[in-house]
Amino acid sequence: MSSVKKVTLKSSDGEIFEVEETVAMESQTIKGLIEDDCADNAIPLPNVTGHILSLVIQYCKEHTSSSDSNSSKSNEKLKAWDTQFINVDLNVLFDLIMAANYLNVKGLLDLTCQTVADMIKEKTPEQIRAMFNIVNDFTPEEEEEVRRENAWAFEISLKNNNVVDTFEVEESMAKELQTIKNMIEDNYTDSVIPLHNVTSDILELVIEDCKKHVEAAESESEPSYSLASKLIDDPLKA
Amino acid sequence: MDFWEDDNSDEMDIDNDLMDDCEEDSFSESEQESNVKRFQKLNIDDDFHVEYAPQRNTTAYGSSRCLEHIKSKEKMGIGDLVKDHALPFLPAKSICRFRSVSKEWNKWITNPFLAHKQSHCFQDISGFFCQIAGEHSFISCDPHSCGVPDPSFSFLPEPVILRTTCNGLICCQSCIEDNAYYICNPVNRQWKVLPGPNYYHGPGSAVALAFEPSALKFEANYQLVCAIRLADHLLCFEIYSSRSKSWRLVDALCCELGALSGDGFYMKGMVYWETLSGSVLAFDLTYEQFGIFPLPPECGPEGVLTKRHGELCYILPHKKDNEFAIRIYGDFKMVLKHSFPLELDDFGYTSGGLRALSCLNDDVLAILFGNRMITYHVKAQKVKTLGTVRPDGFVTCHPYVNSLVPVDHPLVSRQQANSRPCTSSSL
């Protein structure tokens, strides 16, 4: 039985990883080095830290073994593994994107970028700039023109969706929201508090958040109020 | 310490590079290798630093001899990587909004190469076009990220009815004159009117749009397949191809089926139509042959053929006493694969019943509950309301993918101008 061929990888912080050649070849960059006979010594990877490199190797291991005909790993199981794998800190996710790009591991690049895409799809341009340190090089007039040309993309017009949902919440929770706290303290008599500028899904998230805050503190049974979200045509401010 | 500034002038060349890539199969290995940067073996010292040459195509392609020079500033490249590799995974509305992030983002987003990439990377059903009595509306699965500028199709030169959709393209038919077919994408408001077919597509005919976004082919190649009723039990097939820009009658003739119940559904090289007698007419576009298989005996207008886990399946709502369930049938024998109970107590009474609309992704189904459009997550058993439709009649709901796919690409040669404008760009 011939021994399995291995390659040695060295991370930016000096960690050494010994990996099977087939696994390492999931990286097109490393594959190229191996094929060009540059891989006899340890391959230095100066912009991938040990922590990130170990994650990349984990991914490659999992995806190499799945393409092996002996492996019984189904597509669904692999997908589930990927979902679990990619459940990381945002900073780690960014590092993984850069490592996947540099090491040219297409599957990992797609997985990480799809994850980031899901995170940013509901964001505003301002939030995008903040998240990725992008400088806004438009003049105010230029930016205004781009916004005007694509005004529809900035609107959350719910005219067609036309949904009204009510949520029952405990008073202690509702008081987490200053606006509603004031209403309650002013003896707001209507049993349903309409919130004109908040959509159902946003309201749901806010309530979840309040729940967490309240559960952290003590709570006793309180009278409950109904909050109704009413949706209108006005574009939602960021 | 030397650093290269992130030189934006490098980015200016992107357009030229990318436009060259656009002709023919530009993703071949040899072209990529010519873009490869030179690597050098580094001596690893404690105080080493490296310089960064911003990559034009930010993925290192093919085989490379040496390691690249890299800027040691943290996360410098993440914005560029997200722009190049994550944007194509987004729905059109989000992408259009991000045009105002920066000039570089705006340039990339308006590049037809991105539209092509996105049409291939993003294929999720983003919402439904609903129509009743000539009135159109769009119900989005996520209003923040999916949408169209004009859901009423007023950008088309004539009033139309929506016939069928496929992967971001929509086939409409004019309500007047010669009932011309239109292919359009409401996101970019591009459209094309098809030349008249050679045969008469009477009331008994049904269409299906076949469009598979390709990673390699830059042009959107689609086919409009029409099953035409020639006589009581006689169907023939006429196909329009965007490649040949013409109609063609296929040899196959089907004399075994009665009426078709509506327009068809495309998946993986095959087109499927349901019949009123409870079977499915399947047409293979590669071999241009048809086959027939039965739907489950309980099938009806509330069921729908759709794709789940990459396979064709039939989704049928089922009601017993006051309990609702969703049944999923699959395989070519259409056997019962799954049955999920549907908890709809919170929604109270409805007179309209249930109608299955589509499978959104493997775990989420879109269902019309009375006049309320909902999504149902089968594992989490979670219901979410998307919107409401008009309650005063039968509303057709077509699933739509928020794709940037161009209908009338500037690189594609125009048709000869005739009295009627034939494409959006000739206006």
Side-chain angles (χ1 to χ4, degrees), chain B residues 162-164 171 205-208 260-265 272-274 398:
Chain B
L162 203 160
R163 291 297 299 264
T164 183
C171 172
S205 62
V207 300
L260 301 177
S261 66
D263 292 322
F265 171 72
Y272 304 93
W273 290 279
E274 289 181 55
H398 292 93

Side-chain angles (χ1 to χ4, degrees), chain B residues 5-196:
Chain B
E5 292 302 320
D6 192 10
D7 190 350
N8 275 329
S9 65
D10 260 344
E11 298 298 336
M12 298 300 214
D13 293 331
I14 252 191
D15 275 347
N16 295 331
D17 279 351
L18 294 174
M19 291 313 269
D20 286 341
D21 285 347
C22 290
E23 286 146 27
E24 303 307 357
D25 303 305
S26 54
F27 299 79
S28 59
E29 203 54 38
S30 54
E31 289 225 25
Q32 294 165 4
E33 279 178 24
S34 63
N35 288 330
V36 160
K37 300 252 176 204
R38 297 214 135 281
F39 280 9
Q40 282 175 10
K41 263 199 176 152
L42 286 178
N43 293 318
I44 306 299
D45 291 326
D46 282 311
D47 58 350
F48 82 90
H49 66 272
V50 284
E51 295 165 274
Y52 178 54
Q55 284 176 286
R56 293 198 282 186
N57 305 312
T58 50
T59 309
Y61 291 107
S63 66
S64 354
R65 284 181 183 282
C66 320
L67 292 170
E68 207 189 27
H69 283 156
I70 302 134
K71 201 167 196 172
S72 55
K73 212 189 232 184
E74 259 209 334
K75 295 186 179 50
M76 185 63 212
I78 189 66
D80 288 330
L81 289 178
V82 164
K83 169 172 72 72
D84 289 345
H85 298 286
L87 283 188
F89 287 108
L90 289 172
K93 185 170 177 177
S94 298
I95 296 184
C96 290
R97 188 165 63 246
F98 295 159
R99 280 183 61 182
S100 72
V101 166
S102 76
K103 285 187 179 172
E104 204 178 299
W105 278 51
N106 189 28
K107 196 170 200 175
W108 169 234
I109 288 169
T110 49
N111 190 314
F113 187 61
L114 171 75
H116 167 252
K117 211 172 170 192
Q118 189 260 4
S119 70
H120 177 251
C121 291
F122 181 79
Q123 296 189 23
D124 294 347
I125 292 175
S126 326
F128 293 85
F129 274 99
C130 306
Q131 78 178 348
I132 175 171
E135 211 178 272
H136 299 279
S137 62
F138 181 69
I139 294 185
S140 171
C141 290
D142 176 13
H144 294 268
S145 63
C146 302
V148 295
D150 178 14
S152 67
F153 295 97
S154 61
F155 58 89
L156 293 175
E158 300 180 274
V160 292
I161 53 165
L162 203 160
R163 291 297 299 264
T164 183
T165 64
C166 186
N167 280 328
L169 288 181
I170 298 188
C171 172
C172 304
Q173 194 173 26
S174 159
C175 304
I176 55 178
E177 272 186 55
D178 46 359
N179 301 120
Y181 290 109
Y182 286 83
I183 303 292
C184 69
N185 181 353
V187 167
N188 48 33
R189 288 180 260 220
Q190 288 178 8
W191 55 269
K192 195 171 229 142
V193 67
L194 303 189

Side-chain angles (χ1 to χ4, degrees), chain A residues 10 12 28-29 31-33 35-39 41 43-47 76 79 90-91 93-95 97-102 104 109-111 113-114 116-118 120-126 128-129 131-139 142-143 146-147 149-150 152-158 160-165 199 201-202 204 236, chain B residues 8 29 39 41-42 44 48 50 55 58-68 70-71 74-79 81-82 85-87 89-94 96-106 121 124 136-149 151 187 189 309 347 362 372 379 382 384-389 402:
Chain A
K10 188 169 176 183
S12 62
Q28 295 296 313
T29 308
K31 180 166 183 251
L33 289 171
E35 285 172 351
D36 289 346
D37 270 336
C38 297
N41 306 321
I43 301 176
L45 302 171
N47 60 329
E76 273 184 65
K79 250 187 174 178
L90 193 63
N91 285 322
L93 186 60
F94 285 359
D95 286 338
I97 290 178
M98 293 197 283
N101 172 57
Y102 167 62
N104 202 349
L109 186 61
D110 284 346
L111 174 65
C113 285
Q114 171 79 75
V116 167
D118 290 336
I120 66 175
K121 66 181 176 184
E122 297 191 3
K123 291 202 184 298
T124 64
E126 293 79 17
I128 297 290
R129 290 188 206 119
M131 200 170 177
F132 303 110
N133 289 320
I134 299 173
V135 171
N136 180 4
D137 53 353
F138 281 120
T139 67
E142 286 169 340
E143 186 175 347
V146 175
R147 279 188 175 241
E149 265 175 41
N150 298 278
W152 65 275
F154 291 83
E155 276 170 15
I156 318 289
S157 169
L158 298 151
N160 289 327
N161 289 39
N162 198 28
V163 177
V164 177
D165 279 323
T199 60
D201 43 358
I202 301 292
E204 215 174 318
L236 263 181
Chain B
N8 275 329
E29 203 54 38
F39 280 9
K41 263 199 176 152
L42 286 178
I44 306 299
F48 82 90
V50 284
Q55 284 176 286
T58 50
T59 309
Y61 291 107
S63 66
S64 354
R65 284 181 183 282
C66 320
L67 292 170
E68 207 189 27
I70 302 134
K71 201 167 196 172
E74 259 209 334
K75 295 186 179 50
M76 185 63 212
I78 189 66
L81 289 178
V82 164
H85 298 286
L87 283 188
F89 287 108
L90 289 172
K93 185 170 177 177
S94 298
C96 290
R97 188 165 63 246
F98 295 159
R99 280 183 61 182
S100 72
V101 166
S102 76
K103 285 187 179 172
E104 204 178 299
W105 278 51
N106 189 28
C121 291
D124 294 347
H136 299 279
S137 62
F138 181 69
I139 294 185
S140 171
C141 290
D142 176 13
H144 294 268
S145 63
C146 302
V148 295
V187 167
R189 288 180 260 220
H309 290 306
F347 289 84
D362 294 337
R372 200 161 192 165
K379 285 186 184 142
K382 200 167 165 221
K384 178 181 160 196
T385 304
L386 295 182
T388 56
V389 300
N402 211 193

Side-chain angles (χ1 to χ4, degrees), chain A residues 6 11 13 15 38 64 66 79 99 107 113 129 147-150 153 173 179 193 199-200 207-208 226 232:
Chain A
K6 296 211 170 184
S11 71
D13 43 0
E15 243 185 284
C38 297
T64 314
S66 72
K79 250 187 174 178
C113 285
R129 290 188 206 119
R147 279 188 175 241
R148 219 181 331 113
E149 265 175 41
N150 298 278
M173 243 176 53
T179 314
I193 301 175
T199 60
S200 305
I207 289 172
E208 287 283 339
S226 286
I232 50 177

Side-chain angles (χ1 to χ4, degrees), chain B residues 57 146 157 210 214 218 225 238 240 288 334 338 358 385 399 404 406:
Chain B
N57 305 312
C146 302
S214 157
F218 196 71
V225 188
E238 197 180 10
Y240 175 84
E288 295 190 350
M334 283 293 158
H338 307 279
S358 178
T385 304
L404 292 170

